Amino acid sequence: MLKVKSEFLILAYQAAEFYRSVGQTSAKILSLDETIISQEYSIVKVHWGGVTFKKTGDKLIEFDVSYLVQKIESEPKLILFIAHQNEQKAMQELKLL
C-alpha cells in the first residue's frame, strides 16, 4: 500500500503542476455528496466550479470528480479520483492544450 500511496502523491503533485502550467488561476467546491461504502471508505462526488484559467478570462468552468476516501486514522486519505468528463477533450475545446 505504501508504494501505491507514494505513487499517488507523485501523480497528484504532477497534476497540480500541470494545471498551473496551463494557467489555472482558481477553483472552488460548489457541492459535494458523500456515499458511504463501509465504515472505512466512502465515495465523495465533488462539483467544482469557479474554475478559471488565464487564457479563458472571466469564463467560469464547472466539472465533477469522484474521490475514493479512506477514513481509518484521524485524517481522511484520498485513495483515487475519477474525472467525470473527458478532461483532455474539454481542455482542447478551451484551447488550453
Side-chain angles (χ1 to χ4, degrees):
M1 184 70 160
L2 182 59
K3 183 178 179 187
V4 172
K5 180 180 179 183
S6 64
E7 289 174 356
F8 176 79
L9 292 174
I10 290 168
L11 291 173
Y13 177 79
Q14 290 172 344
E17 284 295 310
F18 170 74
Y19 292 121
R20 281 191 284 278
S21 77
V22 295
Q24 183 177 348
T25 54
S26 70
K28 69 179 186 175
I29 295 173
L30 297 181
S31 66
L32 60 87
D33 181 41
E34 180 179 20
T35 302
I36 297 171
I37 299 172
S38 70
Q39 187 173 353
E40 294 88 17
Y41 293 94
S42 63
I43 294 179
V44 180
K45 180 180 177 184
V46 177
H47 183 72
W48 290 93
V51 179
T52 58
F53 293 87
K54 291 176 186 174
K55 290 182 180 180
T56 61
D58 294 336
K59 181 177 182 174
L60 297 177
I61 299 161
E62 296 183 16
F63 57 91
D64 296 320
V65 178
S66 289
Y67 301 88
L68 177 60
V69 179
Q70 181 184 47
K71 299 177 284 185
I72 293 177
E73 298 172 8
S74 61
E75 189 172 315
K77 294 180 181 174
L78 191 61
I79 305 299
L80 69 87
F81 67 93
I82 301 168
H84 291 227
Q85 294 82 14
N86 181 330
E87 189 175 86
Q88 185 170 1
K89 180 179 176 185
M91 294 184 93
Q92 287 172 338
E93 290 171 356
L94 293 167
K95 299 184 182 0
L96 298 172
L97 298 178

